Amino acid sequence: MPPDEAELVADNLVEADLRGIDSHGTNLLALYVSRLESGHLRPTTAVSVVRDDGSTVVLDGGLGFGQVAGRHAIDLAVDRGRAHGVAAVAVRESTHLGALATYTERAAHAGIFAMAFQNGPTIVPPFGGLTPLMSTNPFSYAVPAGDEPPIVYDVATTTVAGNKIILAKKRGDATIPSGWANDDAGRPTTDTAAASVHHLQWFGGHKGYGIALLVELLAGVLAGSCFGHTEHTASLLHGADRIAKGYVFLTLDVDRFVPVAEFRRQVDALIRDVHAGERAVGVEAVLVPGELEYRRRAERLRAGIPLSVPLIDEIDGLARAAGVAPLR
Ligand SMILES: NC(=O)c1ccc[n+]([C@@H]2O[C@H](COP(=O)([O-])OP(=O)(O)OC[C@H]3O[C@@H](n4cnc5c(N)ncnc54)[C@H](O)[C@@H]3O)[C@@H](O)[C@H]2O)c1
């Protein structure tokens, strides 16, 4: 890979680990390397413009790294949001973005209210079904604050991201929390071995499923990307000729609605109201989205990122194969 693109992807993975999103950190390195080696992921990311109408832009991610095309797309969405008040940048023929918060938070730091939607391989059945149709279809939003860190919401529309099940299997955990996944027959299970990454549960049942469909409609159908049973979205777990993902970044220039300084003060006030309210029994702190990751990032910058032994072994295997110094 070109060194600057490799650095951007590496930063993205380490940033996810720092924030405690271990499922989207260096845990993904082996998958990315195998997809580079199999030719499913192109080492150089050539982003091209499909259509540019000012406040709306459609890009082609060239089946290179989502992190590289994604950085380009969010920066464009911020610029266009500022120029037009509201903007949408859609990207087709791209791949995994990693944690969506990376992109929305970047926009929030620039004073922009941002939303991100990404679809992906067909691994999760519609609510009540058994035939996979969509991905874990993540959704994120981020909002600039003043003295407080920005509010950053970033979730898969399934109860957890599929990588959390893969990580639990990799760690050898005996059980997973209830509500994460079903077995192959669609029965809820807490047995890690029986849990199927093809039968993740939607958060909030039919409600999360409806949001997942919104992500599919925006990031898949509207972006002109793959969706549903399109052959190119075939599960990356089963192998596919080509695995494309689509995404959409929506941006709002806060200053067009209320003066941005006032908005930041009001968001701070809202965050402080959240903190100041009474807590339920056993709850240490009432938080806004993003706060947990913000705190964890500070802690991990100080104390380091804990990596499991199997993950260290995996990274060291890749390092030795590439002639790079292993971690231990
Ligand atoms: N690119 C992709 O294709 C893809 C697919 C699926 C998931 N993902 C990523 O996986 C990551 C993890 O998703 P997830 O669904 O497992 O996340 P999760 O269930 O851990 O939820 C995380 C969100 O909830 C907030 N949160 C957690 N505890 C809170 C509390 N007590 N009070 C208030 N807010 C709280 C966090 O700040 C964060 O915004 C995300 O970064 C997502 O983008 C990416």
Side-chain angles (χ1 to χ4, degrees), residues 16 19-21 23-24 32 95-103 118-121 135-141 152-164 203 245 283 285-294 296:
R19 295 164 54 91
I21 315 296
S23 53
H24 286 69
Y32 287 165
T95 60
H96 199 234
L97 281 172
L100 295 195
T102 315
Y103 308 88
Q118 170 157 50
N119 79 341
S135 188
T136 53
N137 284 10
F139 163 61
S140 172
Y141 70 82
V152 186
Y153 177 82
D154 180 21
V155 300
T157 43
T158 45
T159 312
V160 292
N163 284 333
K164 283 199 180 157
F203 80 77
K245 287 189 176 218
V283 171
V286 182
L287 308 171
V288 293
E291 214 172 336
L292 211 58
E293 289 77 14
Y294 184 80
R296 211 180 279 128

Side-chain angles (χ1 to χ4, degrees), residues 117-153:
F117 310 80
Q118 170 157 50
N119 79 341
T122 49
I123 55 171
V124 192
F127 182 67
L130 274 184
T131 309
L133 186 72
M134 289 190 281
S135 188
T136 53
N137 284 10
F139 163 61
S140 172
Y141 70 82
V143 178
D147 296 331
E148 302 287 344
I151 296 177
V152 186
Y153 177 82

